[in-house]
Amino acid sequence: MSTETRLLLDESVSYRLPRTVIPQRYRLHLAPEIEAGTFSGKVTIDVDVRSELSEVLLNSLDLTIETAAAKDDKGKELIAKTSLDADNERLKLVFAKPLKPGRWQLSIEFAGVLNDKLHGFYRSSYSDPDGVKHTLAVTQCEPTDARRVFPCFDEPDFKAVFEISVLVDADAVTLSNAPIASQKVEKSVASEKATPKGKAQSRQDKDDKERPCKLVVFKETMKMSTYLVALVIGKLEAKEPVMVDGTPVRVWTPAGKTHLASFAIDIASASLSFFNRYYGIKYPGEKLDLVAVPDFMFGAMENLGCVIFRENALLVDEKTAAHPELERVADVVAHELAHMWFGDLATMRWWNGLWLNEAFATFMEMLAIDDWHPDWKRWDTFGVSRGAAFSTDGLLSTRPIEFTVRKPEDAEGMFDVLTYEKGASVLRMLEQFLGGENFRLGISHYLNNHKYANTETTDLWDAIEEKSEQPVRQMMDSWIFQGGYPIIHASKENDGQRWLLTQHRFFYLPEEKRSHVKQDSVSRYHVPIMYTAAFGEKRTSGRVLLTGNSTEIELSEPADWLLLNAGGHGFYR
């Protein structure tokens, strides 16, 4: 089955929202009560209704829906009946009269709980140097948890502009994807709640009424996917921002830890500058905040303009840290910043393409760090990570790098060594075979063609193929859509002037224990092979693409020896 056919079939599965209603802009207001562990909100979504309908489906999970309505471009409002389908994480809006095709506004009021599960909208806490406990409200929306924060069309190709505002305590630092547009003092949420009839007003009630709050309104974002929406609210500190090519870069830390942010600022500044040059496109956000929080599901998350990190993946004392600790922080920072273009600006259409986001960011983190600190020899040490991918990919139970994702949660299976390390390895193999500049031009071409939009994996191969004039799509499909890797055999013929290369798939198990495995006989990879031949003291280098069972290397004269996989970047044995 071709790649195109497989992806078309995915369009029809029930886990996808219908394409009859397309979001264009979200106006999202949230009012968290951090100590109480709750929040309320309202979202207004500008949508294009593509065909006449009486029901609208969107995503919602763990939220209480209070009201919902739709308003047309003439101001006529229709109230919706709502029903929640928790199993499929959906909210259905049903209208008494059908919505005609055109522009509409969906308005939904809702409430939720600030959970302790590190997804959606959750709480994280720490104690400052004086022993005072502080609680933060933090979001984590990838892959499918924006729906836990607000009702939305929570699929990556439903890109839209976001205008976010929050009502928070007056002394709370509040960060989101875009810079703050305005702040003003407001009544607290608690002050607007009446005391129940017949109940005396307690001292706590009075304190709540007097608690000062502020309304923070952020500028609108670029067009982006829901999984990139970010908020961090609470007691945080930061040094003055560093300007990198006109972009303010700042590291936010829990109170008392700004002295641990210097190394992160250095690698962030170097990476941002490198990516601006490499991609040939300026960083797409207006500012860049790197935020350290005590509790986070992943090492970090590439929210545009507000990258959230687990504290130990961002903060480090470079005077006392071992080199692997510094390398780890540098890797994570460079990885997330690479996503600002590859993932945030140009985004996979569906979760089957998640591997490419992560593999490419892994590849780019190595490239950026090697540019910043060539003395670290980061591509050499990456060999250990590539070895881990070899270990997994030689098993019968391995999987292709990209596979069909039907349920969104199936994408969680991609967060592994095959996505990151194998994916980055085959990208490095391709880059070395094509030449660094040809590869870079292809990447820039891809990003310019698809910025603010969504793509399939093959769009990238086509862009690189166009710039390199090499059969990139055929080559990479053989690595992406089938598992495993080959072992290459070389035999000397004609006294070493001709060398015969053959391939077969590598397995740890002996042949008699895997005779039932059909793909063993049909797995053929388009293997880009770099080689060096020796003629006495003279050396010559070349390359060949092995696409079938065998191919030959014809040299100008007999060689003493032939080194295959020169440079060590091929993903084969």
Side-chain angles (χ1 to χ4, degrees), residues 23-269:
Q24 301 295 334
R25 180 181 296 271
Y26 290 82
R27 294 175 183 85
L28 173 63
H29 176 71
L30 293 171
E33 287 286 337
I34 297 178
E35 295 305 323
T38 62
F39 66 96
S40 59
K42 179 179 180 179
V43 63
T44 301
I45 314 172
D46 294 345
V47 298
D48 282 335
V49 176
R50 298 289 178 83
S51 60
E52 185 173 304
L53 47 80
S54 297
E55 296 182 356
V56 175
L57 284 177
L58 57 163
N59 296 113
S60 181
L61 182 62
D62 297 339
L63 298 175
T64 300
I65 306 302
E66 296 174 348
T67 66
K71 187 183 293 185
D72 66 15
D73 54 5
K74 296 178 182 178
K76 182 180 178 181
E77 186 174 69
L78 297 175
I79 303 301
K81 291 183 178 180
T82 65
S83 62
L84 287 165
D85 177 0
D87 290 340
N88 291 306
E89 303 179 359
R90 286 180 175 176
L91 168 64
K92 182 190 289 186
L93 309 181
V94 181
F95 299 93
K97 294 182 179 180
L99 308 186
K100 302 292 185 181
R103 297 299 294 270
W104 289 80
Q105 279 190 350
L106 303 177
S107 296
I108 306 170
E109 294 183 343
F110 57 93
V113 174
L114 292 170
N115 67 73
D116 59 358
K117 299 177 181 178
L118 305 185
H119 59 205
F121 207 6
Y122 72 94
R123 294 193 296 179
S124 176
S125 63
Y126 71 92
S127 296
D128 67 20
D130 296 325
V132 178
K133 183 179 178 181
H134 301 279
T135 305
L136 309 175
V138 184
T139 58
Q140 167 53 33
C141 294
E142 190 188 26
T144 57
D145 288 318
R147 64 193 67 180
R148 297 177 188 268
V149 185
F150 60 104
C152 56
F153 297 84
D154 197 16
E155 296 183 12
D157 65 337
F158 281 125
K159 281 190 166 185
V161 172
F162 291 82
E163 297 177 16
I164 299 173
S165 64
V166 289
L167 185 64
V168 297
D169 287 352
D171 61 349
V173 169
T174 307
L175 306 172
S176 187
N177 304 91
I180 293 174
S182 66
Q183 300 185 70
K184 62 178 180 179
V185 175
E186 294 274 324
K187 294 179 181 179
S188 72
V189 175
S191 71
E192 296 171 354
K193 296 177 180 177
T195 303
K197 189 175 180 179
K199 179 182 176 182
Q201 192 177 48
S202 69
R203 174 61 183 272
Q204 183 61 50
D205 291 334
K206 291 179 181 178
D207 289 344
D208 282 346
K209 284 194 173 188
E210 295 168 0
R211 179 164 58 90
C213 288
K214 62 184 176 182
L215 177 65
V216 181
V217 179
F218 295 94
K219 293 182 178 180
E220 67 177 34
T221 70
M222 73 175 193
K223 195 175 182 181
M224 67 181 196
S225 301
T226 49
Y227 78 87
L228 297 171
V229 169
L231 272 172
V232 183
I233 302 164
K235 177 68 173 178
L236 295 168
E237 297 177 350
K239 294 181 179 179
E240 288 300 307
V242 173
M243 300 301 293
V244 180
D245 300 334
T247 300
V249 180
R250 190 186 303 231
V251 172
W252 292 88
T253 77
K257 294 188 175 181
T258 56
H259 64 289
L260 301 176
S262 297
F263 182 77
I265 280 286
D266 288 346
I267 178 57
S269 300

Side-chain angles (χ1 to χ4, degrees), residues 492-499 533-536 538 540 553-562:
K492 182 167 64 171
E493 299 184 350
N494 197 22
D495 295 328
Q497 187 168 353
R498 183 185 301 113
W499 297 76
F535 311 91
K538 187 176 67 171
T540 186
I553 295 176
E554 185 77 33
L555 302 173
S556 59
E557 58 182 298
D560 299 326
W561 51 257
L562 184 73

Side-chain angles (χ1 to χ4, degrees), residues 453-493:
N454 296 82
T455 66
E456 302 289 359
T457 297
T458 49
D459 294 324
L460 175 63
W461 309 144
D462 290 345
I464 299 174
E465 185 168 305
E466 185 176 336
K467 290 298 180 182
S468 66
E469 299 181 344
Q470 294 291 322
V472 174
R473 188 200 271 220
Q474 281 188 325
M475 186 192 314
M476 296 309 292
D477 278 359
S478 76
W479 291 94
I480 303 309
F481 295 116
Q482 61 180 347
Y485 55 87
I487 181 167
I488 310 300
H489 293 271
S491 58
K492 182 167 64 171
E493 299 184 350

